[in-house]
Amino acid sequence: MTENTIIKLNKKIVQNEGSPVRLYQQVLKKIDNIEDSLNAFVTITPKEGLAQARESEKRAKEGKLKSKLDGIPVGIKDVFCTRHIRTTASSKMLDDFTPAYDATVVKKLKDAGIAIVGKNNCDAWAHGASTENSDYGVTKNPWDLTRVSGGSSGGSAAAVAAEECIFSIGSDTGGSIRQPAAFCGVVGLKPTYGRVSRYGLIAMGSSLDCVGPITNTTEDAALVMETIAGRDEKDATTVEIEVPKYTEKIQNSIRGKKIGWVKEFFQMGVDKDITEAIEKAKKIFEILGAKFVEVELPYAKYGIPTYYIIQTAEVSSNLGRYDGIKYGFNAKNSDNLIEHYFKSRDEGFGAEAKRRIMLGTFVLSAGYYDAYYNKAMKVRTLIKKDFNKALDKVDVILSPVTPTTAFKIGEKSQDPLQMYLADVFTASINLAGNPSLSLPCGFDKNRLPIGMQIIGKHFDEESVLNFGYQYEKATEKEIWRQYKPVTS
Ligand code: GLN
């Protein structure tokens, strides 16, 4: 585990042993050394970030730090609007788009005093599970540069693992925070739908999109959540439920608490090394006093087809606004308006966005709506009920994040169905809306990180973080915690 956690760095800054400016310069140096081979950022913002770090430094000297995040270098996935900083969604369509406002999550972080490092690379429009769909090149995995970093928040996870920033903010529509976190050996939290504002997030699937932190430790994730969670009047789906002091709650013992175990998950083609690592984690939870209870999620196996109907339907609608007129890419030499629309969308969108627009338009079209979209919405309700029923019996559910560890660049990019199956353990949780934490639990035989997933009740981020933190503390001395990425 890295020394560079927010909690540790903040202590140094408070005691005036650590300097936000020096910290920011260290991060820039790291970027200078490895970014050419890693490609975790679309845009790097040293001017803005250094100015922010200088302000933090002043506040530190006066003992007036705004929060524990004050002076901490952050990466923002390039799907969040950042005022006066280019925001591309990793698509050529938005290559020259500079927003006039900050997403709520960015504003909250700025108010807390962070120093922005830049905008992290991702699959274009967050469509993908490997960051190979970016128009700005693939982000490599810091543990093996021939492998993918995962997706769609691949740049956000790789940058944290490679210490190009101390934490980052990602978005998760079907697994995009948790899967890259697992592939890169870092922690990622997908909060409950409605827990963190989506205002200023370039929408993918509006009923599925969640905003959350990617960090080195669970404690850091808890800390970031204290800043970014909560009701926002600019996002009507956020909810007025008090945001707990997560960093205090995670200290509680998990003795006597119950963890759900879904046997079928491990019969769904999961790598042997992943099953073994999670079984080991199970033993550790038992030593900590938690009890395992078998639960069933009979509809979860329909998660992928259901997700790929609902999500593409929403994508086709959300991408409708990019017409070459209002904003974004503008095709040259059209003879008339209709041709201009066609040309701009044809040249501006990549293959994956087009595939999703076509699928989504099809499932919403008259004649097919009932057979696909409507049916998928009914199955979505059944999946949600499944999770509610299982979580009535237990506090959290333990599951794999992914069936495999990080795969080779190019291994799945020609086969969209294979790529979609990477979401088999994550997408159904977005359909149900529950919170879920992905955290490292070991390595496979190729020394690639393995992640596990702790799923909780709606708005009970507190429990998933509590279980994650207690596991982390109990395994602090494990040898695999000493392993370092090849970028170190
Ligand atoms: N891999 C999934 C997809 O391509 C999830 C993407 C996401 O969560 N943004 O749809």
Side-chain angles (χ1 to χ4, degrees):
M1 211 181 290
T2 163
E3 282 304 294
N4 278 343
T5 68
I6 308 172
I7 301 279
K8 285 182 192 159
L9 291 167
N10 168 255
K11 280 196 186 124
K12 287 193 189 156
I13 294 173
V14 170
Q15 290 159 2
N16 276 312
E17 281 167 24
S19 136
V21 172
R22 245 185 298 131
L23 175 61
Y24 196 85
Q25 281 162 343
Q26 271 167 22
V27 161
L28 286 182
K29 193 157 168 242
K30 193 88 207 197
I31 291 177
D32 256 1
N33 291 339
I34 57 171
E35 180 57 13
D36 277 352
S37 42
L38 199 64
N39 195 33
F41 287 90
V42 175
T43 306
I44 298 166
T45 54
K47 208 174 111 234
E48 292 83 352
L50 261 177
Q52 288 164 330
R54 281 195 198 103
E55 292 293 313
S56 295
E57 185 125 343
K58 232 193 273 160
R59 288 192 290 271
K61 286 203 177 116
E62 293 164 0
K64 286 189 185 146
L65 287 171
K66 288 180 174 178
S67 78
K68 288 191 175 162
L69 304 185
D70 205 338
I72 303 292
V74 179
I76 306 284
K77 186 176 180 179
D78 212 11
V79 288
F80 292 97
C81 287
T82 39
R83 186 165 187 264
H84 298 168
I85 296 174
R86 181 167 83 127
T87 299
T88 67
S90 292
S91 169
K92 179 181 167 193
M93 187 65 108
L94 290 181
D95 188 55
D96 59 0
F97 174 57
T98 301
Y101 69 102
D102 280 322
T104 294
V105 62
V106 174
K107 178 167 186 309
K108 285 187 167 183
L109 290 173
K110 277 189 180 171
D111 290 346
I114 56 101
I116 185 166
V117 178
K119 305 297 296 287
N120 288 119
N121 194 20
C122 57
D123 287 294
W125 311 104
H127 301 167
S130 67
T131 312
E132 289 166 294
N133 291 335
S134 168
D135 286 345
Y136 300 88
V138 54
T139 296
K140 319 263 174 38
N141 190 307
W143 295 88
D144 175 348
L145 297 171
T146 66
R147 292 177 190 266
V148 302
S149 51
S152 62
S153 311
S156 313
V160 173
E163 302 185 320
E164 291 186 317
C165 57
I166 306 303
F167 77 95
S168 63
I169 296 293
S171 65
D172 189 314
T173 307
S176 278
I177 288 177
R178 291 159 288 160
Q179 188 252 21
F183 278 12
C184 294
V186 291
V187 173
L189 176 70
K190 178 204 100 66
T192 312
Y193 181 80
R195 192 37 135 172
V196 179
S197 172
R198 290 177 293 116
Y199 178 73
L201 164 67
I202 295 173
M204 178 179 163
S206 307
S207 79
L208 301 156
D209 295 342
C210 295
V211 177
I214 296 180
T215 54
N216 282 302
T217 61
T218 301
E219 194 177 18
D220 277 1
L223 182 62
V224 177
M225 278 299 286
E226 287 175 8
T227 299
I228 65 173
R231 161 91 186 142
D232 175 16
E233 60 178 30
K234 293 185 177 130
D235 174 359
T237 58
T238 53
V239 183
E240 193 81 63
I241 296 180
E242 204 196 315
V243 178
K245 266 297 237 176
Y246 296 114
T247 45
E248 284 167 19
K249 304 281 185 186
I250 57 173
Q251 314 290 337
N252 295 339
S253 157
I254 56 166
R255 187 157 295 281
K257 297 217 169 147
K258 292 194 194 117
I259 305 180
W261 185 259
V262 188
K263 240 179 38 216
E264 296 82 58
F265 277 176
F266 297 90
Q267 294 150 5
M268 289 163 71
V270 181
D271 277 0
K272 196 167 136 269
D273 291 0
I274 296 185
T275 303
E276 280 173 16
I278 297 179
E279 273 166 358
K280 255 195 207 152
K282 182 177 182 221
K283 292 216 178 80
I284 290 174
F285 282 119
E286 281 168 342
I287 293 170
L288 291 171
K291 287 190 183 52
F292 277 82
V293 177
E294 269 191 33
V295 292
E296 284 178 357
L297 295 167
Y299 286 98
K301 58 173 169 292
Y302 303 112
I304 290 286
T306 309
Y307 168 79
Y308 274 93
I309 290 172
I310 295 172
Q311 171 259 120
T312 52
E314 295 185 13
V315 162
S316 71
S317 159
N318 275 325
L319 293 185
R321 72 194 71 176
Y322 303 101
D323 56 6
I325 302 274
K326 292 195 280 294
Y327 41 16
F329 178 77
N330 196 341
K332 305 259 164 347
N333 305 324
S334 316
D335 286 336
N336 56 58
L337 184 62
I338 298 294
E339 193 188 313
H340 184 71
Y341 288 155
F342 282 156
K343 271 180 103 165
S344 299
R345 287 171 70 81
D346 183 29
E347 291 166 28
F349 284 130
E352 187 59 30
K354 285 178 189 159
R355 185 176 299 122
R356 294 187 193 217
I357 291 169
M358 284 194 284
L359 274 170
T361 310
F362 173 73
V363 299
L364 288 175
S365 59
Y368 292 104
Y369 183 93
D370 279 331
Y372 294 104
Y373 184 74
N374 224 357
K375 200 181 232 170
M377 288 302 276
K378 288 179 186 162
V379 181
R380 179 179 195 171
T381 304
L382 294 172
I383 291 174
K384 194 169 171 185
K385 282 188 178 157
D386 253 11
F387 276 99
N388 285 347
K389 207 166 132 198
L391 285 161
D392 269 349
K393 296 193 202 123
V394 294
D395 296 284
V396 294
I397 296 170
L398 185 63
S399 121
V401 186
T402 52
T404 67
T405 49
F407 42 86
K408 290 268 183 190
I409 293 168
E411 194 180 319
K412 297 186 196 233
S413 49
Q414 296 314 315
D415 186 347
L417 277 181
Q418 272 305 313
M419 191 69 89
Y420 295 172
L421 285 173
D423 310 318
V424 61
F425 296 116
T426 47
S428 55
I429 300 158
N430 294 72
L431 291 168
N434 297 64
S436 173
L437 178 74
S438 164
L439 73 163
C441 66
F443 282 79
D444 73 357
K445 55 183 176 310
N446 298 321
R447 267 229 183 165
L448 296 169
I450 296 175
M452 65 178 171
Q453 189 173 205
I454 303 174
I455 308 158
K457 300 180 170 100
H458 289 115
F459 296 99
D460 190 15
E461 284 76 13
E462 190 179 312
S463 290
V464 300
L465 291 164
N466 183 203
F467 278 85
Y469 177 69
Q470 294 301 329
Y471 168 83
E472 252 175 34
K473 251 191 9 187
T475 56
E476 226 167 32
K477 303 240 147 58
E478 296 273 325
I479 296 169
W480 57 265
R481 293 262 185 219
Q482 307 303 321
Y483 296 171
K484 293 257 181 294
V486 294
T487 49
S488 325

